[in-house]
Amino acid sequence: QVHLVESGGGLVQPGGSLRLSCAASGSIFGNNVMGWYRQAPGEQRNLVASIGSLGGTNYADSVKGRFTISRDNSKNTVHLQMNSLKPEDTAVYYCRYSGPIYRPDYWGQGTQVTVSS
């Protein structure tokens, strides 16, 4: 059982920045992948960025160069620094924990990010 608590979402103007945080607690397996996904109305939930236990990262093409994912393994926390935000970044952002394949993935509650002037 893994519990994810997200923070940092909100309303921001185009070109602005937000920093999302996700803290994981519970039965955390050391070798895990944590990531951020987003889902806009009428769209599928898509990967934004992910990061492995050793720091390897993966980004969606649409956010490369603008977003940075990082993690603090001692705190089981993952962050998403979002810069140069665009209206198309508006979505509900979800934190995900992925451990061994024989265990289920866990998702945060989702946090709304709205980019609008």
Side-chain angles (χ1 to χ4, degrees):
Q1 189 80 9
V2 176
H3 182 57
L4 305 174
V5 179
E6 299 168 301
S7 61
L11 175 65
V12 66
Q13 295 181 341
S17 298
L18 285 174
R19 182 175 175 85
L20 305 183
S21 297
C22 175
S25 61
S27 301
I28 306 299
F29 187 71
N31 185 13
N32 63 71
V33 175
M34 298 186 72
W36 291 96
Y37 289 68
R38 67 187 182 188
Q39 186 169 19
E43 302 291 336
Q44 299 294 314
R45 187 176 299 184
N46 296 316
L47 173 71
V48 177
S50 63
I51 184 167
S53 297
L54 298 181
T57 58
N58 186 40
Y59 294 93
D61 289 341
S62 59
V63 307
K64 288 181 179 177
R66 299 188 297 121
F67 292 9
T68 302
I69 190 170
S70 61
R71 65 186 293 161
D72 184 340
N73 290 337
S74 67
K75 298 180 179 179
N76 291 319
T77 301
V78 63
H79 305 279
L80 185 68
Q81 178 66 45
M82 304 186 294
N83 298 327
S84 302
L85 283 162
K86 306 174 181 179
E88 65 194 46
D89 295 318
T90 296
V92 178
Y93 283 69
Y94 298 90
C95 180
R96 184 209 67 182
Y97 162 92
S98 181
I101 60 173
Y102 50 85
R103 298 297 300 164
D105 292 348
Y106 292 88
W107 294 85
Q109 77 284 355
T111 183
Q112 178 70 47
V113 172
T114 302
V115 184
S116 176
S117 60

